[in-house]
Amino acid sequence: MKLYIIAGEASGDLHGSNLIRSIRSENSNIDFRCWGGDKMKDAGGNVVKHINELAFMGFIEVIFNLKTILNNISFCKSDIVEYAPDAIVLIDYPGFNLRIAEWAKKNEIPVYYYISPQIWAWNQSRVHKIKRCVNQMYTILPFEKEFYRKFDYEVDYVGHPLIEEILKFEKLKSIKNDFHETNGFSKKPIIALLPGSRVQEIRTKLPIMLKAVVPYEDYQIIVAGAPNIDKSTYEKFGLKDQDIIFHKTYELLFNSKMAIVASGTATLETALIGVPQVVCYKGSWISYSIARMLIKIKYISLVNLIMDEKIIVELIQNNCNAIEIQKELNKIMTNEVYRNQMLSSYKDLRLLLGSVVASKKVAQSLIKRLEKNLNA
């Protein structure tokens, strides 16, 4: 049996790697050809296109890179034809993956989608394409099942895959005892900076974050380096080796007093680990203007979206500046009631998401459906 898996971002690489391992634990005779990153490669996938070449963020940025994107789509289609998989598994990355899903439907290739595009946020009409082209959708947010039901489309809610990562991480016993010493850090308390996993968002947000933390001399500032980004990207902002840590974001967060986090999956990771945070979003003026017209949600962070209330402060576009970040950090530092309320809400968030191992649930469902199709 052969599966073709497409992930286009760092979070998709992580969840794709866990899915590959879970599928292999259920059936070791499955071959994987992938678009992904180092994690999917380490899990046993044959990665033919790396996420370093794929992540474009924002409307205007997509337009500037349209030729590359179209070439990637063309290559993907021809690669799928040559590989002849029994099914395609798509992981988030909607602008690209929905085009592949539509093409696959025409070519009678079964399509399974793990981690729904955020169509509830904008362009809800895409649900009709999903109904036509996707054999089964596996969703990870509690409210998505009801959203799809409004369009008469039944999906499988499998729980959030980050719960699986946090549970694995929490089994480690000695992270807090030797983290500073092992990594050559001082004993000062840590403010963690998580500027994102794409070069363009790092270039936009990291300078603002670094400017914001200048006054905090009693803290050490450590940047979580994205595994798919070269160290030289960070060095351009004056960072030294001791200021950046790669492949240890969870350990960093676990040992941090607070964090400044780019909007995205990292906001949820930070909350589940239990670190007070301020969330930042800043994009190109054109992309932001288009987004304001199209997006239909109250919040940009997953924490606030899932809880449907303002748990953490979101600093967006013009408000994403050093002064506003400092105001929130100071509040977290000095207002114990405020800090404890945020941490208490994090616990409620975790209870809401539950403890289901999403990748195992998806793997079992996928194999059952694939075997049924092959035996039909």
Side-chain angles (χ1 to χ4, degrees):
M1 197 181 299
K2 297 191 293 185
L3 288 179
Y4 199 100
I5 304 179
I6 305 175
E9 298 171 306
S11 59
D13 180 39
L14 170 64
H15 304 321
S17 68
N18 285 329
L19 181 60
I20 289 172
R21 289 190 179 94
S22 292
I23 292 173
R24 280 228 159 112
S25 70
E26 300 289 331
N27 185 334
S28 59
N29 295 317
I30 296 180
D31 184 71
F32 301 91
R33 190 168 178 86
C34 312
W35 289 44
D38 296 339
K39 286 182 170 62
M40 289 172 74
K41 182 179 179 182
D42 292 343
N46 177 17
V47 175
V48 294
K49 187 71 78 167
H50 200 280
I51 56 174
N52 289 353
E53 306 173 55
L54 304 175
F56 303 107
M57 181 183 178
F59 298 97
I60 195 68
E61 291 80 5
V62 168
I63 292 171
F64 284 153
N65 291 280
L66 190 57
K67 183 178 180 181
T68 299
I69 294 168
L70 293 175
N71 286 340
N72 283 340
I73 290 172
S74 178
F75 169 77
C76 185
K77 291 175 181 177
S78 61
D79 196 51
I80 290 171
V81 169
E82 184 176 344
Y83 183 61
D86 295 290
I88 299 171
V89 179
L90 307 174
I91 302 177
D92 201 3
Y93 198 45
F96 187 94
N97 276 340
L98 286 177
R99 286 178 172 83
I100 296 301
E102 193 169 34
W103 171 84
K105 176 69 174 179
K106 292 175 183 175
N107 287 273
E108 300 183 340
I109 305 171
V111 174
Y112 299 92
Y113 215 126
Y114 177 35
I115 306 177
S116 169
Q118 296 177 354
I119 57 173
W120 35 265
W122 73 286
N123 199 359
Q124 295 185 4
S125 63
R126 288 182 295 177
V127 73
H128 303 297
K129 181 182 289 188
I130 289 172
K131 285 181 66 175
R132 286 196 318 271
C133 304
V134 175
N135 294 65
Q136 187 61 45
M137 173 68 74
Y138 300 101
T139 66
I140 64 172
L141 297 175
F143 58 80
E144 289 177 320
K145 192 172 182 70
E146 185 56 37
F147 167 80
Y148 276 106
R149 191 169 282 154
K150 292 176 184 176
F151 296 90
D152 195 30
Y153 184 62
E154 283 299 317
V155 302
D156 282 355
Y157 170 59
V158 296
H160 204 288
L162 282 182
I163 294 294
E164 177 179 3
E165 285 302 299
I166 301 298
L167 289 172
K168 285 194 293 187
F169 166 74
E170 288 176 341
K171 290 179 182 177
L172 302 173
K173 301 296 182 185
S174 61
I175 344 174
K176 204 151 194 170
N177 297 330
D178 58 8
F179 177 78
H180 291 74
E181 185 177 345
T182 300
N183 295 286
F185 300 136
S186 73
K187 291 297 183 182
K188 285 183 178 181
I190 296 170
I191 299 176
L193 307 187
L194 281 69
S197 60
R198 303 177 183 94
V199 170
Q200 63 205 64
E201 63 177 337
I202 292 168
R203 287 174 179 165
T204 302
K205 299 185 186 87
L206 184 54
I208 299 169
M209 294 179 177
L210 290 171
K211 184 178 180 181
V213 296
V214 168
Y216 302 104
E217 296 179 354
D218 293 335
Y219 289 80
Q220 57 186 322
I221 312 304
I222 302 176
V223 176
N228 55 306
I229 303 295
D230 191 84
K231 189 169 64 172
S232 62
T233 299
Y234 301 94
E235 292 172 340
K236 291 174 184 176
F237 301 102
L239 295 171
K240 309 297 183 186
D241 284 351
Q242 65 268 25
D243 303 321
I244 318 166
I245 191 165
F246 289 90
H247 307 291
K248 294 184 179 180
T249 299
Y250 284 9
E251 290 93 326
L252 170 62
L253 287 171
F254 193 75
N255 287 275
S256 296
K257 290 292 184 183
M258 49 197 158
I260 309 172
V261 186
S263 59
T265 305
T267 63
L268 184 56
E269 291 172 308
T270 303
L272 291 173
I273 290 173
V275 183
Q277 63 181 301
V278 54
V279 177
C280 297
Y281 170 83
K282 192 176 184 72
S284 70
W285 182 83
I286 295 175
S287 291
Y288 174 67
S289 299
I290 295 171
R292 277 192 64 184
M293 290 187 290
L294 297 177
I295 291 178
K296 307 176 187 298
I297 51 177
K298 291 187 287 185
Y299 306 110
I300 61 166
S301 72
L302 282 172
V303 177
N304 293 343
L305 275 169
I306 294 168
M307 296 297 287
D308 195 27
E309 62 176 301
K310 184 181 173 183
I311 305 299
I312 52 180
V313 165
E314 302 175 347
L315 299 176
I316 304 172
Q317 208 61 11
N318 291 337
N319 287 327
C320 181
N321 60 65
I323 292 173
E324 293 300 321
I325 293 172
Q326 288 165 7
K327 285 181 184 177
E328 182 59 16
L329 292 182
N330 291 339
K331 195 172 180 180
I332 291 169
M333 288 178 193
T334 60
N335 190 329
E336 190 173 348
V337 173
Y338 178 72
R339 180 186 179 95
N340 288 339
Q341 181 57 53
M342 189 184 296
L343 295 176
S344 176
S345 296
Y346 284 174
K347 291 178 181 177
D348 295 338
L349 169 70
R350 185 156 179 167
L351 286 172
L352 181 61
L353 291 177
S355 58
V356 176
V357 178
S359 66
K360 183 176 180 65
K361 193 170 181 180
V362 175
Q364 291 173 339
S365 174
L366 265 175
I367 290 170
K368 185 177 178 180
R369 291 173 185 276
L370 288 170
E371 289 176 346
K372 183 178 179 181
N373 288 344
L374 289 174
N375 294 327

